[in-house]
Amino acid sequence: MQSRPRLQIDTTTATGLPTAPPRVIGFWGGLSANVLNMIGIGPFITIPLALTALAGPQVLLGWVAGAFLCLCDGLVWAELGSAIPESGGPYHYVREAYGRDTYGKLFGFLYLWQTLLAAPLSIGSASVGFAQYLAFLVPSMAPWQQSAVAAALCLFNTALLYRRVGSIQKLSVLITVLVLGACAWIVASGVLHFDTRLAGNFLNMGNPDPHGFWLGLGAVALIAVYDYGGYNNVCMLGGEMKEPRRNIPLAVLFSIPLVAVLYLGLNITILGVLPWNVAAQSKAVVADFMQAIYGHAGSTTAVVVILVASWASALVVLLGYSRVPFTAARGGQFFAVFGRLHPRGAFPTVSLVFVGVTSALACLLPLDDLIAVLILVQVMFQFIAQCFAVVFLRRRPDRDPHAFSMPLYPLPIVISVAGWLYIVATGQPKHVAAGALALLGGSVVFLIQAKRERSWPFRHP
């Protein structure tokens, strides 16, 4: 697909050096980038959190609601990614929709700002989860050693990605097949050893009071969004996708139901093997689940699978996020040094190293509340703004008529906005306040920079 003329980037200079990454990622590479991002450490550590937030069969409703919200939001991403297939996609979406020289500059900067906050937390959480499950195999690991392992994993992934992206695509596809097969084995094991008595006890639990139910449903939906998160990773790599008008929507919309079925199967089978109160208190619920079925050998095998999944998830998230400072630098809204490409490999160098190192530093911080803060920051900074971006872009006369258009428009947008507002409204006040302060801080930094540069909104007539 050809992007809008104003967004086209020459791929080489007059000297023959590359100025933009080549389009080398196909559908399977894009799908694997999404799936590996989605099947990370998330569900393996958040199932107990969900059971604690909303005890009883209603927790399954929260997982379904989260999947449905992500599917509606996935239609938003699919349309935007097809219309504007550039690396660091969301940065371009909001700039084009809200005006490159006016409000789009503010929204573009805020997206960059939240990425600088969210990227280290997202990558770091996957790496810390890797270290925590590794501690299941090595119980003697001290907390500081777990932090060191997580930080080392971030630096190792940075070195691994310091190469042409085509080779990483082959690796990600191979690992995706391995991880999906292993997860299917875990779910199938639960089906074969499903105890209807345990499941019946769980399904017959009493309903909570309505006030607690609505707050708990919001908490579980937030957890589900975190676990399903990653279906948009292909949009970060839009400028490196082949046939992006076709492959970006397919990668987004195939990955969501694929992973949703897997996660729901995992939740249901766990509750048919472990008593729900045991699962709610577990620190390594899938390991305990497999140990109940196969003993020590089963739990060890499951932990190895989870280690591979969490490592691969941290890898592809780093790959996607490392393109955002690069894109912003090319757009003149970040330090120019972040716009450098490797002269032979044609991949962002400074941007990759920066995100990798800050992610390693994030592993040294306590991450208990960061899942909620991470999601709320993304909702308040980006997800709601992108829903309206689809509306504005559809009204433009230069809209590509061959780009993907979501079915039932604008219903998916209405559902997405309502869902995001519900998650914010049911969030813990301290988490919402943290997101609001981050949004305010980013706006202040933008205004200070704009005033210093005498650009919008301080441009003199």
Side-chain angles (χ1 to χ4, degrees), residues 43-365:
F44 305 125
I45 60 174
T46 57
I47 288 176
L49 298 178
L51 290 171
T52 302
L54 190 60
Q58 296 82 8
V59 71
L60 299 178
L61 180 61
W63 284 99
V64 173
F68 182 65
L69 173 58
C70 289
L71 183 60
C72 292
D73 187 61
L75 290 170
V76 172
W77 282 92
E79 181 159 331
L80 292 173
S82 176
I84 308 177
E86 299 292 342
S87 294
Y91 173 78
H92 291 295
Y93 307 157
V94 293
R95 289 206 66 186
E96 287 294 300
Y98 294 97
R100 294 179 64 86
D101 299 320
T102 54
Y103 290 99
K105 295 187 68 174
L106 171 62
F107 280 102
F109 180 84
L110 288 179
Y111 170 70
L112 171 64
W113 180 261
Q114 71 94 15
T115 299
L116 296 179
L117 298 174
L121 302 180
S122 180
I123 301 165
S125 64
S127 302
V128 168
F130 174 94
Q132 289 178 346
Y133 263 84
L134 182 62
F136 183 86
L137 298 180
V138 188
S140 60
M141 287 181 63
W144 71 267
Q145 292 173 318
Q146 294 183 34
S147 298
V149 167
L153 182 66
C154 292
L155 298 179
F156 172 75
N157 283 345
T158 302
L160 193 61
L161 290 173
Y162 201 85
R163 67 191 69 240
R164 186 178 295 273
V165 74
S167 59
I168 300 301
Q169 177 186 197
K170 298 173 185 176
L171 176 63
S172 67
V173 171
L174 176 62
I175 296 173
T176 298
V177 173
L178 172 65
V179 169
L180 284 177
C183 289
W185 167 63
I186 292 174
V187 173
S189 298
V191 171
L192 294 175
H193 295 81
F194 195 82
D195 187 335
T196 55
R197 181 184 57 81
L198 281 177
N201 291 338
F202 176 75
L203 293 175
N204 292 326
M205 290 179 61
N207 294 325
D209 65 90
H211 179 71
F213 168 77
W214 291 111
L215 289 178
L217 182 65
V220 176
L222 184 148
I223 292 169
V225 168
Y226 171 77
D227 289 344
Y228 293 129
Y231 54 86
N232 52 16
N233 198 42
V234 67
C235 295
M236 307 290 189
L237 308 170
E240 298 166 70
M241 291 293 298
K242 296 185 291 186
E243 299 183 58
R245 184 175 64 196
R246 169 183 176 273
N247 287 331
I248 289 177
L250 286 177
V252 171
L253 299 177
F254 269 72
S255 60
I256 296 171
L258 176 66
V259 174
V261 169
L262 193 63
Y263 281 179
L264 288 173
L266 183 62
N267 276 269
I268 293 171
T269 53
I270 283 178
L271 294 172
V273 173
L274 294 177
W276 79 268
N277 54 336
V278 172
Q281 299 299 320
S282 175
K283 299 299 183 183
V285 67
V286 176
D288 291 338
F289 165 75
M290 294 299 283
Q291 183 160 331
I293 297 175
Y294 297 116
H296 180 71
S299 64
T300 300
T301 303
V303 167
V304 170
V305 171
I306 293 170
L307 291 176
V308 172
S310 57
W311 162 70
S313 175
L315 182 75
V316 296
V317 175
L318 175 58
L319 173 63
Y321 272 126
S322 67
R323 270 53 181 172
V324 177
F326 162 78
T327 302
R330 288 300 176 94
Q333 281 202 288
F334 203 52
F335 300 108
V337 67
F338 284 82
R340 291 182 180 175
L341 281 171
H342 193 276
R344 293 183 301 277
F347 58 87
T349 53
V350 176
S351 181
L352 171 63
V353 172
F354 174 81
V355 176
V357 171
T358 53
S359 299
L361 294 175
C363 296
L364 306 178
L365 302 175

Side-chain angles (χ1 to χ4, degrees), residues 395-412:
R395 295 178 177 178
R396 289 178 46 155
D398 61 342
R399 179 177 181 270
D400 187 344
H402 301 294
F404 171 83
S405 295
M406 70 176 67
L408 302 178
Y409 174 87
L411 185 59

